[in-house]
Amino acid sequence: MRLRIDLAYDGSGFHGWAAQPGLRTVQGEVEQALAVALRRRTPTGELLRVPVVCAGRTDTGVHARGQVLHVDTTAEELAASAGRSPEPPLEALQRRLAGILPADVVVRRVVEAPAGFDARFSATWRRYAYRVADRPGSVDPLTRSHVLAWSRPLSLDALAEASAPLVGLHDFAAFCKQREGATTVRTLLDLSWTRRPDGVLEATVRADAFCHSMVRALVGCLLAVGEGRRPVGWPAAVLASASRSPEVTVAPAHGLTLEEVAYPDDEELAARAEQTRARRAPVAPAAEEDA
């Protein structure tokens, strides 16, 4: 059986999502916790890795409220992991994970996934938010690890005008770190800005998928327009160049949060996964890193 796990985490203390030897990562913590919770061990008692697949790999320092992953298990293993708990096995697993995971990672939901569900390839879009405090009164020391403090005022109108031409199907090579064999063509469904009541500027960035550093490169380019250093047509010109510009500064990671991942109706999950795999082949897994 396949489980869907909805996850939230503060990325401040992690070297990104993807497991890396000797480094603290979200994937490493989750897989370790699942190994303990599911009691998956070798005959000699050593923990076995429990591989998981996520909807979008986040970079170092990037946060998530709406990360989604899947893990494969069996009904027997799940029931055994619950032990003497009176709770249903899925609820017992969520509670066990809560007791094992560190405080900066929270499992929000554990359910049996529908047939054909793939956390990565079945997804139809991912939505990120980037938050900037550009006014002294909107800088909050309690959110300093999640909101970028910007020392110069930003024009909401200029940000909106510069963002509009970037929406749609484009080759975002100018805003991505190139990976061998990876496509940089993406459909940007939404790139909009609002100013919250507390004065914080919030960008909503939604796409079918993102290539590595794409969101932060887009935001960094737009911030230069918002503060008046660049004309509103500059981001569109950068996009048209189809090559990474050294003049584009990648925005800091801590202002970025993965907010939501969307999936089609259950009966369309398998078809969506097959279509995505076919379209992205032969894309290397690393090319799916977000942020």
Side-chain angles (χ1 to χ4, degrees), residues 125-232:
W125 49 258
R126 290 94 170 152
R127 177 173 63 85
Y128 280 83
Y130 197 98
R131 299 176 174 93
V132 185
D134 66 327
R135 299 172 175 175
S138 64
V139 176
D140 183 349
L142 301 183
T143 62
R144 66 188 182 278
S145 62
H146 301 86
V147 178
L148 175 66
W150 197 255
S151 60
R152 294 171 293 279
L154 298 165
S155 166
L156 179 59
D157 290 341
L159 289 168
E161 186 178 349
S163 298
L166 306 178
V167 175
L169 177 64
H170 302 289
D171 184 348
F172 285 93
F175 297 100
C176 297
K177 290 183 179 178
Q178 295 282 353
R179 299 293 178 90
E180 184 178 354
T183 180
T184 51
V185 175
R186 296 289 189 268
T187 300
L188 189 59
L189 300 167
D190 187 19
L191 178 50
S192 58
W193 294 80
T194 59
R195 190 176 291 279
R196 303 187 325 198
D198 61 0
V200 171
L201 279 167
E202 184 170 294
T204 296
V205 191
R206 186 169 61 95
D208 59 344
F210 295 93
C211 47
H212 188 238
S213 85
M214 178 176 161
V215 179
R216 291 193 291 132
L218 286 168
V219 171
C221 184
L222 291 165
L223 290 178
V225 175
E227 68 177 21
R229 286 192 296 111
R230 295 283 185 172
V232 293

Side-chain angles (χ1 to χ4, degrees), residues 63-67 108 127-129 131 202 257-261:
H63 317 291
R65 280 195 184 91
Q67 180 69 275
R108 306 181 74 175
R127 177 173 63 85
Y128 280 83
R131 299 176 174 93
E202 184 170 294
T257 301
L258 173 58
E259 296 286 353
E260 183 183 9
V261 182

